[in-house]
Amino acid sequence: MIKNLEHLILSGNFTEAEKLYQIVDFQQFEDEIIISAYDNRNILYYTFLHYLIKKKETVELHNLAFSLFVHALTPIEGAYHCALYHAQRAVELTNEHDSDILEHLLFLHEVPDKLVSDEKAHETCHEILALDPANKYAKETLKKLAKKKKKKISLKAIQRMAKKKF
């Protein structure tokens, strides 16, 4: 546990919180942020991450912001939309060359808000498989998309046949 990090963030003392961020292991920092945010669901954790991103934008910070919104802060209205922004920035910063980051877009294709279109999910699956041919998540998503497409085609065919009869 990073001593005082939660208190510093929740009191808005981002300058001192940043000093702790700079001297600890990032994984430890990430764990602390997620656990603390789960405990009290306070948007100030994101505000602090935004503060850090403005100072020095990194894939790791965008990835952490994504995780914050899809896990600890999900109950907040618009959380998945915020997660999408951070997933897209991380994808841009990695020049679409990180399959783990690209998977975030597939996750947002499956959430109830369905923020990523079927077409974009299909394209993303192929990008992931180009980087990681054994990626199970991308393969499973492609299978789901193919089944969905077949259902759409079948429905359209039924509708066309019904129109011809009348």
Side-chain angles (χ1 to χ4, degrees):
M1 185 169 198
I2 305 169
K3 188 175 175 153
N4 296 328
L5 181 63
E6 180 177 13
H7 172 73
L8 292 170
I9 291 171
L10 294 178
S11 64
N13 191 345
F14 294 168
T15 305
E16 290 302 311
E18 180 184 9
K19 289 177 184 175
L20 288 176
Y21 161 73
Q22 291 174 343
I23 62 170
V24 300
D25 174 68
F26 188 81
Q27 185 62 53
Q28 183 183 5
F29 172 76
E30 181 176 34
D31 292 345
E32 184 78 19
I33 293 289
I34 295 292
I35 290 167
S36 296
Y38 261 119
D39 288 345
N40 58 44
R41 310 279 187 191
N42 196 310
I43 196 72
L44 275 170
Y45 292 100
Y46 174 68
T47 306
F48 176 59
L49 289 180
H50 185 261
Y51 165 85
L52 293 175
I53 289 169
K54 281 179 52 181
K55 288 187 153 229
K56 184 178 180 192
E57 185 178 31
T58 68
V59 171
E60 292 78 18
L61 287 172
H62 280 292
N63 196 38
L64 176 52
F66 170 87
S67 295
L68 195 63
F69 282 117
V70 299
H71 298 294
L73 300 180
T74 302
I76 296 173
E77 184 71 29
Y80 285 135
H81 289 83
C82 291
L84 177 61
Y85 167 76
H86 290 287
Q88 290 171 329
R89 280 301 298 143
V91 166
E92 290 170 16
L93 291 170
T94 60
N95 296 314
E96 300 181 3
H97 284 89
D98 186 320
S99 61
D100 292 335
I101 301 291
L102 287 164
E103 283 181 10
H104 294 336
L105 297 177
L106 297 184
F107 172 80
L108 293 169
H109 171 262
E110 295 176 0
V111 298
D113 294 349
K114 193 175 178 204
L115 299 176
V116 174
S117 69
D118 289 348
E119 294 78 20
K120 180 63 178 172
H122 189 267
E123 175 187 316
T124 302
C125 286
H126 287 288
E127 290 172 3
I128 291 170
L129 292 171
L131 298 167
D132 176 11
N135 189 292
K136 291 179 184 178
Y137 191 28
K139 288 179 180 181
E140 285 301 314
T141 301
L142 280 175
K143 286 179 189 176
K144 289 177 190 175
L145 288 168
K147 284 181 186 178
K148 190 175 181 180
K149 189 174 183 178
K150 283 182 185 178
K151 285 181 184 178
K152 281 183 183 179
I153 291 170
S154 297
L155 180 61
K156 285 181 183 179
I158 291 169
Q159 289 171 339
R160 274 184 288 196
M161 288 176 24
K163 283 182 183 179
K164 286 181 183 179
K165 288 184 179 181
F166 296 105

